[in-house]
Amino acid sequence: MNVLVINGHPNLNNSFANKEILKLLAQKTDWQMTHASDFAGDVKAEQQRLLEADLVVVQFPLYWSTFPSVMKEWIDQVFTYGFAFGPDGSQLKSKKLLFSITAGATAESYSESGFNFMPLENYQRAFEHAFKAAEMDVIDTIVTFEMNAIPEEGGDVEKTIELAQQHAVQIINVVSHSAQNAVSTHIG
């Protein structure tokens, strides 16, 4: 299975969680990794990567309850009319997609009475929009909360690394399960 991981973190050097997740995925899989922050404007190359992938993993930290601006810029440039949507678009239709999200806040903060004012599902509609408009098949969303490694903000580096390792295992398991289902569907 050709898996493409799109990293939406703007600066992995300043990351503990996303850097650890991507490091483990690179060590344990043969998946292709690309970084939205490295996007240099070659739209056709990015679109071709998406077309060649059997499954796309979109990895990002929640920044104000959505993806970072580099991920938004990548989507704005790559999900073009005639490719991702429009009369001759939908070239990504039925392409499998997994959202992999890290959050520094607690799960409880995503509620009407919490710091983030709404449940995560409300925010999720916004960051899923472009992918659903492209008619991609969201197979799962993995979210791990409390991945804050910044001690000044009450974070814990060791806990964050441990959670990141567990998160990476979840991603691998979901992709493996999807690959097994694809094989059994083609056989049956």
Side-chain angles (χ1 to χ4, degrees), residues 16-166:
F16 286 91
N18 285 260
K19 182 166 51 176
E20 182 71 11
I21 290 165
L22 293 170
K23 178 184 90 174
L24 290 170
L25 293 179
Q27 289 172 351
K28 297 180 183 288
T29 71
D30 61 353
W31 302 346
Q32 181 184 6
M33 308 277 179
T34 187
H35 305 277
S37 62
D38 293 342
F39 177 62
D42 190 345
V43 172
K44 294 293 182 199
E46 294 298 302
Q47 290 174 340
Q48 190 60 40
R49 282 185 204 168
L50 287 166
L51 291 172
E52 291 172 0
D54 298 309
L55 188 147
V56 177
V57 177
V58 177
Q59 170 68 50
F60 63 91
L62 282 178
Y63 276 25
W64 290 107
S65 304
T66 192
F67 41 67
S69 61
V70 295
M71 188 81 226
K72 173 74 166 92
E73 177 66 17
W74 182 88
I75 291 166
D76 287 349
Q77 297 297 315
V78 175
F79 278 56
T80 59
Y81 182 83
F83 173 72
F85 67 99
D88 298 319
S90 298
Q91 292 182 43
L92 300 174
K93 185 176 184 173
S94 301
K95 179 86 53 187
K96 293 189 181 318
L97 174 71
L98 168 67
F99 283 107
S100 171
I101 303 166
T102 60
T106 64
E108 295 77 28
S109 74
Y110 285 93
S111 65
E112 290 185 18
S113 61
F115 174 79
N116 291 297
F117 309 112
M118 293 186 287
L120 182 62
E121 294 79 26
N122 291 17
Y123 293 107
Q124 191 169 348
R125 287 187 190 114
F127 63 71
E128 285 183 348
H129 179 256
F131 301 94
K132 285 195 171 189
E135 300 182 69
M136 295 180 80
D137 178 17
V138 180
I139 61 167
D140 205 347
T141 299
I142 299 171
V143 182
T144 302
F145 296 96
E146 298 184 51
M147 294 183 93
N148 176 8
I150 303 169
E152 299 80 29
E153 295 178 6
D156 180 331
V157 172
E158 287 180 25
K159 178 182 175 184
T160 299
I161 297 297
E162 182 180 320
L163 289 171
Q165 292 168 348
Q166 294 169 8

Side-chain angles (χ1 to χ4, degrees), residues 160-185:
T160 299
I161 297 297
E162 182 180 320
L163 289 171
Q165 292 168 348
Q166 294 169 8
H167 189 97
V169 168
Q170 282 184 281
I171 296 167
I172 292 167
N173 288 340
V174 169
V175 171
S176 294
H177 182 72
S178 179
Q180 290 169 355
N181 284 345
V183 168
S184 66
T185 301

